[in-house]
Amino acid sequence: MRHLLIMGVCTAAISAGSTSAFAQSTGNVIEELVVTAEKREQSLQDVPVAISAFTSTQRDKVGIATVQDLTNFTPGFVYQSSNDRASMRGIGRLTNVHSVDGAVSIYIDGLFTTSTVLAGGPPLDVDRVEILRGPQGTLYGRNAIGGTVNVISVRPTEDFYAEVRGIVESYGFTNVQAAVSGPIADGLRFRLSGYKLDQHEGYFENVNSGRPTEGTKRNEYQVQAQIEADLGENAELWASYKTLVWHNRGGPGARAGYLNDPYELGLTDPNFSVVYNSAFGYSNNIVPGSLQQYNGGTTTSNPALSDSHKFNTNIPQRVRLRDVNSFTTQFVYHAPSFDIKYVGGIQEYKYDLYGDTDATNVASFQIPLAAGSLCGNVAALYAAGASTVNCTPLTVNANNGYHYFEYPKWYSNEINISSTTDSPVQWIFGLFQYQEQYSGTGSTADFFLVGPSNLATPVLGAAANPDQWWSTGNYALTTQSKAVFGQVDWQMTDTLKLTVGLRYTKDKKFGTEYRRIVCNSDVCYPGLYSALGLNGFGPGTAANYGSLLGNLNALPAVGQALGLGNALAGLAGLGNGAFDLTDTLAPKSTAGLIEGVSTPSVCTAGVCRQYVVDKNSGIASRELSGTSDAPTGTVGLQWEPDDSLMAYARYSRGYKAFGFSAGGFLAVPKADAEFANAYEIGIKKNFSNLQINAALFYIDYRDLQAPVTVRIGPTNVSQFINIEKSRSSGIELSAIWQPIQPLRLTLDYGYNPTKIVKSSPLVDVNDNVVTAAVDITGNKLPQAPEQKVAINASYTFDWDPGSLTLGATYLYRSKSYANVFTREYNMAPSWDQVDLRAYWQPSGGKYTVIAYVKNLFDTEGYAAAVAGSQRNAPLLQGAQTLELTPPRIFGMELQYRF
């Protein structure tokens, strides 16, 4: 049945071509779709850029409700929901660090935003979404090296209007939406809208008794208020305020996938070896009977290996989004031959994510003592009354959590002047300014132990650590960007138009990063005990020292019990606790200043430190500062021999500012700016019942900013480098075919082979077999599936009572990789999916009923590739983590208009 359905849809749509512009249709003639992709209203078929555009009505009919849905119908577009990252044609951001700019710019009503997830706003509020593919380095300079997503809100109406929508789905999902709009007075209009969304059951089940389900489990609401005013005959003012709140176990950062490998049972976590590995408690190498699990759990293996939607942790993931304030305003003045437009606004939010670092439900376990260990000898002496201190096997607190946070606040201002005459020369010029203040964690999170441990009291006089952080790295950074831009379109002849655009952008980033690492494992103590002259007592490990590990205050008594008298008396007062590695692991230099670090250098014996360690907090800090600038632009030629055909050739240059991998205290914290030179030819052809758009592109991509993990002492950290040269090329096909009035067929197809052309050899630390640097030339660009297909077929039955549209969608996406190492454990496999939809609208249009099933055959789809990890793979190369699309979902929506 599945294959018959897929083949039927494919055969019908392939005979047509594809769809990117989801235009409306009347009869069997495809209507014009107007977009503002080049900051003036134009027919989509007249814009010489590869665009996918989605109206609110077509989103309802096809079933496009989220950003992930948008990517399904947009060639070259990929979205990683767990990290809220977007990529276009293989160009994207490869790190969570906010001081590294995104590569796909998101504009909501003309205001730049850093949150891709907001582009998936509900159709009730969003009139249109326009996705411009390829560098948009002239009119949209901020983070537009890969492409741009424009979201245009539904505006206030001149007549009274109100609508309510209710959606129910599987997993206890409900979404109630409402909007009201109309006049306040002559020339003054308002719109008020909002939604309340709940999902009571997550897609993933915790086998640990008493813990909640996770994955898209949501509790959120949004409210938006708009006002629009006519200021005389020649000016308009529009303003919008929006707030949003999440109390979720879903959304960006929350559980979206599963670990496709067994638990790693080594004593120390291979990624975070400064603490003991909680999963070691599941092995047979612990003190028999010492394993303690939360909530009476008995699971000791990864449950996802038998069911990808099951997991086992004791700390539930929790997403909280609060203090969201977004204000946007637009003012337009219509002069006789030009418009002056101002777009500005301010946004802020606070995002917190909490979860379980170790991904187990282990509470504690004991590490066995080695034969003849110091601890065993001390215990025997204590039992005989010959020692004042006792020793037992070390009990490991395995309750390991994390906290990731983002607290940004930014504002921007743009003013542009554009021509409005019917002259053969059309132009637009403008100024842009952006500033952001941001604080947040680095590329991972802040990690801590919950409950008793010696992390709170580091030894050797180091500052106290009352919150028991074993790794913390965060930063506060200010970003400033300014630009001037202009574009001229010259209609040289009746059929030829020349476009020339230029932009100059200057970026500055400055701030402070903070770092502390406190070690509590066998990795750090051997060196400490050796430095204290204790080699004669055996290795500084839990198997030798047991419960005395880290208890330097007890060493004098141990010496006396062993008959050494006061030989160890000098070690008294050194503390009982963990070992602070902050200064040990912080980067030093013998070759001069570190690029991007502005803290003064202090040198001792030829070793220079560009950081300071606070004596009270133990946290190291250093100042970061840098600038970059670039001219970008476009040159294009457009040929329109008649009203039904447009062909174009275009060159565009894109730029993304330099970045800091802040919060990690890296030896190389700064990566230079990225550049892309894109060459594209395209054709847009309209027949009476067929619309075909196609683009052929080649992108010369320079200095890709890539985080590469390296081993520094006992920890894995990311270095920030530039990949010298890559390329992205391909063809994108878009069409709509309506052979007869009731039947509508669409196809979106993208073929995008990518390749790293030139790079220095790099070490993949997740490869436990090949540990030397490897050649990555020839590897694919991250998050770039080579092929994407979206096919939709719908048939409308028109009767006197109303119309019923039945539709089916087939989606296919080929494999893709998470980083520059094209390895199986970084791969999202290929996948496909079938959706069904029924859309009933009675005559008069007062209400609409939609029924649907998404992922009809309950296949596993992969939203994006997630990097593998050395964790959980002791014998093989890195472990595989897979981010899943939603399982099969049944749903129904009712819309009622007053």
Side-chain angles (χ1 to χ4, degrees):
M1 174 184 172
R2 175 185 178 191
H3 288 94
L4 286 174
L5 177 60
I6 292 171
M7 289 302 296
V9 175
C10 291
T11 301
I14 288 174
S15 20
S18 126
T19 175
S20 245
F22 277 110
Q24 302 293 315
S25 61
T26 301
N28 62 340
V29 177
I30 298 170
E31 287 188 351
E32 178 183 60
L33 176 59
V34 175
V35 297
T36 53
E38 295 200 316
K39 298 195 175 181
R40 61 172 79 237
E41 290 189 351
Q42 297 171 278
S43 168
L44 182 142
Q45 296 303 98
D46 292 335
V47 182
V49 175
I51 306 175
S52 297
F54 306 88
T55 66
S56 58
T57 300
Q58 261 331 110
R59 286 179 63 191
D60 280 343
K61 287 190 173 182
V62 178
I64 301 175
T66 66
V67 177
Q68 189 62 51
D69 293 335
L70 289 171
T71 70
N72 291 336
F73 292 91
T74 305
F77 191 24
V78 173
Y79 176 65
Q80 188 176 351
S81 58
S82 63
N83 292 314
D84 195 31
R85 299 185 208 154
S87 296
M88 197 86 74
R89 294 175 173 176
I91 301 177
R93 187 178 70 168
L94 305 181
T95 174
N96 289 343
V97 180
H98 203 80
S99 51
V100 180
D101 294 338
V104 178
S105 60
I106 311 297
Y107 287 85
I108 298 180
D109 295 313
L111 184 70
F112 173 82
T113 180
T114 61
S115 297
T116 308
V117 68
L118 297 179
L124 180 66
D125 281 341
V126 176
D127 180 69
R128 188 172 68 257
V129 179
E130 304 169 359
I131 303 175
L132 288 65
R133 306 191 294 275
Q136 306 298 318
T138 302
L139 301 178
Y140 305 94
R142 178 94 190 129
N143 295 11
I145 189 172
T148 295
V149 178
N150 284 328
V151 180
I152 297 94
S153 296
V154 177
R155 294 301 178 89
T157 54
E158 294 186 354
D159 299 318
F160 179 81
Y161 154 85
E163 182 174 354
V164 293
R165 299 186 178 189
I167 305 171
V168 294
E169 286 183 359
S170 314
Y171 297 92
F173 177 97
T174 60
N175 187 351
V176 179
Q177 307 172 10
V180 59
S181 176
I184 299 174
D186 287 343
L188 183 63
R189 301 167 292 281
F190 82 98
R191 189 174 197 272
L192 182 65
S193 62
Y195 69 79
K196 177 65 175 74
L197 186 156
D198 295 280
Q199 182 169 323
H200 299 287
E201 184 180 352
Y203 301 149
F204 296 89
E205 177 189 350
N206 195 340
V207 300
N208 190 17
S209 176
R211 301 290 88 183
T213 59
E214 297 180 19
T216 321
K217 189 172 181 179
R218 300 159 71 182
N219 171 12
E220 60 186 61
Y221 68 83
Q222 175 181 296
V223 176
Q224 182 178 14
Q226 302 178 44
I227 192 165
E228 190 173 51
D230 300 325
L231 306 179
E233 296 182 354
N234 298 317
E236 299 108 31
L237 176 67
W238 172 85
S240 167
Y241 171 77
K242 181 187 297 183
T243 188
L244 176 67
V245 174
W246 294 352
H247 295 287
N248 289 354
R249 302 197 190 282
R255 188 175 306 279
Y258 72 102
L259 175 68
N260 192 28
D261 284 276
Y263 288 129
E264 204 289 318
L265 302 179
L267 178 59
T268 55
D269 188 299
N271 274 355
F272 308 115
S273 53
V274 294
V275 291
Y276 293 108
N277 181 15
S278 301
F280 183 73
Y282 290 146
S283 76
N284 295 320
N285 299 320
I286 65 171
V287 173
S290 67
L291 173 61
Q292 298 295 314
Q293 296 175 268
Y294 284 96
N295 304 311
T298 58
T299 299
T300 58
S301 60
N302 182 8
L305 296 179
S306 57
D307 185 337
S308 60
H309 287 83
K310 290 187 176 182
F311 65 99
N312 180 29
T313 65
N314 62 283
I315 301 178
Q317 280 191 325
R318 178 165 61 95
V319 173
R320 187 181 183 195
L321 183 68
R322 57 194 169 91
D323 297 344
V324 179
N325 295 289
S326 176
F327 175 76
T328 309
T329 184
Q330 296 182 7
F331 171 79
V332 181
Y333 176 77
H334 304 285
S337 60
F338 59 86
D339 284 350
I340 302 174
K341 184 175 185 178
Y342 167 80
V343 181
I346 185 168
Q347 294 189 6
E348 63 178 350
Y349 66 82
K350 291 183 178 178
Y351 169 92
D352 295 275
L353 170 66
Y354 301 88
D356 197 319
T357 303
D358 57 86
T360 74
N361 77 329
V362 179
S364 65
F365 61 89
Q366 289 185 323
I367 299 174
L369 297 176
S373 66
L374 174 67
C375 180
N377 292 332
V378 170
L381 291 170
Y382 179 81
S387 173
T388 59
V389 296
N390 193 13
C391 189
T392 58
L394 179 67
T395 299
V396 173
N397 172 8
N399 195 6
N400 207 330
Y402 67 82
H403 176 213
Y404 174 90
F405 68 94
E406 297 180 357
Y407 301 157
K409 183 176 184 178
W410 69 94
Y411 65 87
S412 69
N413 298 282
E414 178 181 316
I415 187 167
N416 63 64
I417 305 174
S418 58
S419 60
T420 56
T421 67
D422 57 1
S423 165
V425 177
Q426 298 293 316
W427 48 266
I428 180 171
F429 300 99
L431 299 170
F432 174 81
Q433 177 264 339
Y434 172 86
Q435 178 159 314
E436 177 188 62
Q437 292 179 305
Y438 178 92
S439 61
T441 42
S443 59
T444 51
D446 289 339
F447 303 100
F448 56 90
L449 290 183
V450 180
S453 81
N454 64 1
L455 280 171
T457 55
V459 298
L460 303 182
N465 181 28
D467 294 322
Q468 300 199 115
W469 302 103
W470 53 264
S471 176
T472 179
N474 47 69
Y475 63 98
L477 199 81
T478 297
T479 298
Q480 297 174 339
S481 183
K482 299 178 181 179
V484 56
F485 62 89
Q487 181 169 303
V488 177
D489 297 303
W490 175 30
Q491 190 73 47
M492 298 186 295
T493 70
D494 289 342
T495 60
L496 288 177
K497 180 189 289 185
L498 175 68
T499 297
V500 178
L502 186 65
R503 186 184 189 101
Y504 175 75
T505 306
K506 186 175 182 63
D507 293 288
K508 181 178 182 180
K509 300 177 183 180
F510 58 92
T512 308
E513 66 171 342
Y514 308 91
R515 188 79 166 114
R516 191 179 192 190
I517 300 175
V518 181
C519 182
N520 179 33
S521 81
D522 284 6
V523 168
C524 53
Y525 288 116
L528 171 63
Y529 280 62
S530 176
L532 295 175
L534 300 174
N535 290 336
F537 292 94
T541 63
N544 184 47
Y545 274 82
S547 61
L548 293 176
L549 191 69
N551 187 359
L552 304 185
N553 289 337
L555 291 175
V558 170
Q560 290 180 346
L562 295 175
L564 301 179
N566 293 323
L568 301 182
L571 302 180
L574 295 183
N576 177 11
F579 187 36
D580 193 320
L581 291 177
T582 305
D583 184 65
T584 302
L585 297 180
K588 284 85 174 172
S589 174
T590 58
L593 301 178
I594 299 174
E595 184 179 4
V597 179
S598 56
T599 298
S601 179
V602 177
C603 301
T604 304
V607 177
C608 301
R609 290 172 167 82
Q610 276 187 269
Y611 61 88
V612 294
V613 179
D614 185 270
K615 293 182 179 179
N616 295 318
S617 67
I619 296 174
S621 64
R622 64 178 180 180
E623 303 298 314
L624 302 175
S625 181
T627 61
S628 65
D629 65 292
T632 55
T634 188
V635 177
L637 190 63
Q638 184 175 342
W639 179 55
E640 293 185 84
D642 55 53
D643 292 340
S644 66
L645 175 64
M646 188 271 286
Y648 66 91
R650 193 152 186 160
Y651 162 78
S652 299
R653 181 168 174 82
Y655 151 81
K656 188 175 87 170
F658 79 100
F660 287 119
S661 188
F665 245 66
L666 307 183
V668 183
K670 178 177 177 287
D672 294 332
E674 292 182 359
F675 294 92
N677 295 299
Y679 307 86
E680 182 170 308
I681 57 175
I683 185 170
K684 299 185 178 184
K685 173 64 177 176
N686 288 336
F687 302 93
S688 62
N689 61 357
L690 173 64
Q691 181 183 98
I692 298 178
N693 296 345
L696 182 68
F697 65 91
Y698 178 90
I699 302 175
D700 174 19
Y701 187 21
R702 302 297 179 105
D703 292 325
L704 159 66
Q705 297 169 358
V708 178
T709 304
V710 296
R711 192 75 172 169
I712 304 294
T715 64
N716 289 338
V717 299
S718 293
Q719 301 291 31
F720 207 31
I721 66 170
N722 292 101
I723 304 295
E724 188 171 348
K725 184 177 180 179
S726 307
R727 71 166 180 249
S728 175
S729 59
I731 185 169
E732 296 166 346
L733 180 64
S734 303
I736 307 170
W737 186 31
Q738 195 142 359
I740 57 175
Q741 191 276 332
L743 179 63
R744 186 174 186 272
L745 304 167
T746 71
L747 170 70
D748 278 297
Y749 174 72
Y751 174 63
N752 182 203
T754 63
K755 185 178 182 180
I756 295 174
V757 177
K758 188 176 182 180
S759 173
S760 301
L762 299 174
V763 176
D764 182 0
V765 297
N766 291 322
D767 188 339
N768 295 331
V769 177
V770 180
T771 57
V774 296
D775 184 7
I776 67 166
T777 58
N779 287 1
K780 298 180 181 297
L781 284 174
Q783 306 298 355
E786 193 164 282
Q787 301 202 54
K788 288 181 63 185
V789 180
I791 302 171
N792 178 265
S794 64
Y795 193 93
T796 300
F797 300 88
D798 285 314
W799 301 295
D800 289 340
S803 63
L804 173 66
T805 300
L806 301 179
T809 298
Y810 172 70
L811 306 171
Y812 170 80
R813 187 177 301 185
S814 62
K815 63 185 178 182
S816 61
Y817 297 88
N819 58 30
V820 296
F821 298 102
T822 303
R823 308 298 296 274
E824 184 177 353
Y825 49 80
N826 297 324
M827 182 184 75
S830 60
W831 59 277
D832 62 358
Q833 178 175 313
V834 173
D835 300 338
L836 300 179
R837 202 166 183 88
Y839 184 96
W840 165 254
Q841 188 163 36
S843 301
K846 293 286 289 184
Y847 68 90
T848 301
V849 179
I850 305 171
Y852 53 91
V853 54
K854 285 192 170 185
N855 195 2
L856 174 65
F857 299 106
D858 202 22
T859 58
E860 286 198 347
Y862 308 97
V866 180
S869 168
Q870 191 183 35
R871 173 184 283 186
N872 306 316
L875 301 177
L876 305 173
Q877 287 93 339
Q880 186 181 37
T881 301
L882 298 174
E883 181 180 323
L884 299 179
T885 56
R888 178 170 48 226
I889 292 174
F890 296 93
M892 180 170 287
E893 178 175 351
L894 173 64
Q895 304 174 1
Y896 187 82
R897 288 164 282 276
F898 297 90

